[in-house]
Amino acid sequence: MYPMKHIDNIPSTPGKFKMEKPPYNRLRIHISLAKLTFWSFVFLGLIFVFFYRSPAASSSSPVSSDLSRRSLRTNSYGGPAWEKRIKASAKVRSRNGISVLVTGAAGFVGTHVSVALKRRGDGVLGLDNFNDYYDPSLKRARQALLERTGVYVVEGDINDATLLKKLFDIVQFSHVMHLAAQAGVRYAMENPGSYVHSNIAGLVNLLEICKSVNPQPAIVWASSSSVYGLNSKVPFSEKDRTDQPASLYAATKKAGEEIAHTYNHIYGLSLTGLRFFTVYGPWGRPDMAYFFFTRDILKGKSIPIFEAANHGTVARDFTYIDDIVKGCLAALDTAEKSTGSGGKKKGPAQLRVFNLGNTSPVPVSDLVSILERLLKVKAKRLVMKLPRNGDVQFTHANISSAHKELGYKPTTDLQTGLKKFVRWYINYYGDGKKSVQ
């Protein structure tokens, strides 16, 4: 860049260069510096106010109140009974078990992972804010399932540093399974702030707590296949470029991977990122295509079938939840200890990222055909062009690294997995007449 004095001497109109007198030139420099300083502080202040102000202080703003409503609803906590429930839930009951804090525990993947950990004798404590990105009653039903399994879910937010510190004071977690995040590609166009708040600020807040406790836990966290963005080379490999995201959601997950690298490098945190590929199955998310296709087919509504340019096929590497859970547990079991202490790095720490997919992309139109057979109802297909809202034409995972390092090997094909999902859906919602948001 030019020094400031050169910028001041550049004419506003090409070809009309006029030298200013020295005193006036110095005055302009001082004014420019003052303006730059002033607007820098204003800009930083706006960022701070938008993303970090408390719910109580910002209830008058539609944007900020929406943020708080979706991600900063922390109930009161504390007391002997509360701490007793936490200790009981996090108690390890197997000889070589681990103690895990699962964030986003009432979410789709979080519920399945928590149940699997608990059933094998690990200590598990859940954390979830039960936001209303989709029907909270489904999350409450998952919570009830977890409680029957012996997993207590603390209602709180990952941005609540006081709560996180309290939990680590009560339990010495050996591992953190970080699954809490603002999900969904398309919703980012409606509420972009929630993605920065949860996927970036929330991650940083969690890592800040983890780097300061002693001993530091090993952390496994959910990245996303979305980080591959506009890549055309398939299948997607962990070695491929991830610098051209197609959505804000993807950009925040990519930012998370860079943040993980930073905390690993500076503080010695052991971090493993898992890039999930289109996870589906029982207790899934209502905003996912397979879920709302099932709902709308049963209700006789039209379903959108997207196609790419020139009638190109849109396909996804659908991965059944049980296979994803196996990958998550393997990542926890192979995670090495963090090397920091008291916020200071003592030596090199483990840093990994893995694809967890099925390796068999299926056209979305074939997904609909399978659902038609399972539901015994003909779908009303509405073929539409793939919108420019963050969706990509295809995903396809190369899982050779996960297979080598984690022993990861998916075994459930889409036909089998959807059969299990439909059975759950009918059991949970009935014949489709029960309302589901």
Side-chain angles (χ1 to χ4, degrees):
M1 290 186 61
Y2 289 97
M4 187 67 74
K5 62 182 180 181
H6 289 170
I7 293 176
D8 283 341
N9 285 335
I10 294 175
S12 58
T13 304
K16 296 183 178 180
F17 184 81
K18 182 178 180 180
M19 185 71 77
E20 302 289 350
K21 295 180 181 180
Y24 179 62
N25 189 41
R26 286 195 297 272
L27 180 61
R28 290 186 65 188
I29 293 174
H30 293 160
I31 293 173
S32 298
L33 284 170
K35 286 183 177 180
L36 178 62
T37 302
F38 172 76
W39 285 112
S40 296
F41 277 111
V42 169
F43 180 68
L44 290 172
L46 286 172
I47 293 177
F48 179 84
V49 168
F50 183 77
F51 290 118
Y52 295 102
R53 58 184 169 179
S54 67
S58 57
S59 58
S60 62
S61 167
V63 175
S64 57
S65 64
D66 191 48
L67 275 173
S68 63
R69 178 169 57 86
R70 293 185 181 278
S71 57
L72 259 185
R73 183 181 295 157
T74 298
N75 283 359
S76 59
Y77 49 80
W82 182 75
E83 293 188 13
K84 184 178 180 180
R85 293 192 70 183
I86 288 173
K87 290 177 180 177
S89 183
K91 184 178 180 180
V92 178
R93 301 185 182 278
S94 62
R95 176 176 295 183
N96 298 315
I98 57 178
S99 181
V100 189
L101 172 65
V102 180
T103 69
F108 173 32
V109 178
T111 295
H112 284 273
V113 169
S114 296
V115 168
L117 288 169
K118 195 67 176 180
R119 284 179 175 170
R120 72 177 196 175
D122 294 320
V124 185
L125 179 69
L127 176 65
D128 204 290
N129 65 7
F130 295 91
N131 68 34
D132 57 0
Y133 166 62
Y134 60 81
D135 185 10
S137 69
L138 179 58
K139 299 180 182 181
R140 293 299 180 183
R142 296 187 191 126
Q143 179 187 24
L145 172 65
L146 289 171
E147 290 186 349
R148 290 195 297 271
T149 313
V151 177
Y152 176 49
V153 182
V154 175
E155 185 167 354
D157 194 273
I158 56 173
N159 283 285
D160 187 340
T162 302
L163 173 58
L164 289 178
K165 289 177 182 177
K166 182 70 174 178
L167 296 180
F168 275 94
D169 286 341
I170 299 171
V171 179
Q172 193 176 89
F173 296 106
S174 60
H175 294 72
V176 172
M177 186 77 216
H178 178 47
L179 298 169
Q182 176 59 63
V185 169
R186 300 169 195 170
Y187 181 63
M189 298 185 72
E190 299 177 35
N191 190 0
S194 66
Y195 288 79
V196 178
H197 186 75
S198 297
N199 302 357
I200 297 180
L203 174 62
V204 170
N205 190 61
L206 177 66
L207 295 182
E208 278 292 304
I209 300 301
C210 290
K211 61 114 175 178
S212 301
V213 299
N214 191 19
Q216 296 174 334
I219 302 162
V220 177
W221 70 285
S223 183
S224 169
S225 61
S226 296
V227 299
Y228 292 109
L230 302 177
N231 285 10
S232 57
K233 170 187 166 294
V234 291
F236 298 149
S237 167
E238 293 90 344
K239 297 178 181 179
D240 293 342
R241 64 184 296 183
T242 53
D243 60 350
Q244 45 185 358
S247 66
L248 179 62
Y249 169 71
T252 60
K253 285 299 185 179
K254 172 60 178 176
E257 292 187 356
E258 300 304 319
I259 290 168
H261 179 277
T262 302
Y263 276 79
N264 169 269
H265 173 69
I266 298 177
Y267 301 110
L269 284 176
S270 170
L271 282 147
T272 301
L274 303 177
R275 294 173 177 171
F276 296 152
F277 281 72
T278 317
V279 190
Y280 72 100
W283 296 102
R285 280 180 19 220
D287 65 320
M288 297 292 285
Y290 72 93
F291 199 115
F292 64 76
F293 280 178
T294 299
R295 176 196 66 201
D296 291 345
I297 289 173
L298 287 172
K299 290 186 175 183
K301 295 182 178 181
S302 299
I303 59 173
I305 308 295
F306 294 132
E307 64 177 17
N310 301 316
H311 304 288
T313 299
V314 174
R316 291 290 180 269
D317 198 348
F318 296 100
T319 313
Y320 190 62
I321 183 61
D322 288 358
D323 291 324
I324 290 292
V325 169
K326 291 175 184 176
C328 290
L329 267 58
L332 287 167
D333 291 340
T334 57
E336 297 176 0
K337 292 182 178 180
S338 293
T339 62
S341 177
K344 295 183 179 180
K345 182 178 180 179
K346 303 296 183 181
Q350 187 182 54
L351 180 66
R352 306 179 295 175
V353 62
F354 295 109
N355 288 337
L356 293 186
N358 193 56
T359 75
S360 301
V362 177
V364 175
S365 57
D366 289 359
L367 164 75
V368 176
S369 296
I370 295 173
L371 287 175
E372 287 177 323
R373 292 194 295 271
L374 292 171
L375 297 170
K376 296 181 174 58
V377 179
K378 189 70 174 178
K380 297 178 180 178
R381 306 186 186 210
L382 182 62
V383 180
M384 305 170 64
K385 290 184 179 180
L386 186 68
R388 289 181 175 272
N389 60 3
D391 279 317
V392 294
Q393 183 176 350
F394 52 80
T395 59
H396 185 184
N398 177 337
I399 61 169
S400 57
S401 180
H403 177 69
K404 178 181 178 181
E405 300 296 329
L406 306 179
Y408 175 72
K409 186 177 181 181
T411 58
T412 309
D413 60 53
L414 187 59
Q415 172 81 29
T416 303
L418 284 178
K419 185 176 182 179
K420 293 180 180 179
F421 166 73
V422 167
R423 185 185 303 126
W424 168 83
Y425 185 96
I426 298 299
N427 182 61
Y428 186 80
Y429 290 109
D431 60 2
K433 294 178 181 178
K434 180 179 177 181
S435 177
V436 52
Q437 299 297 320

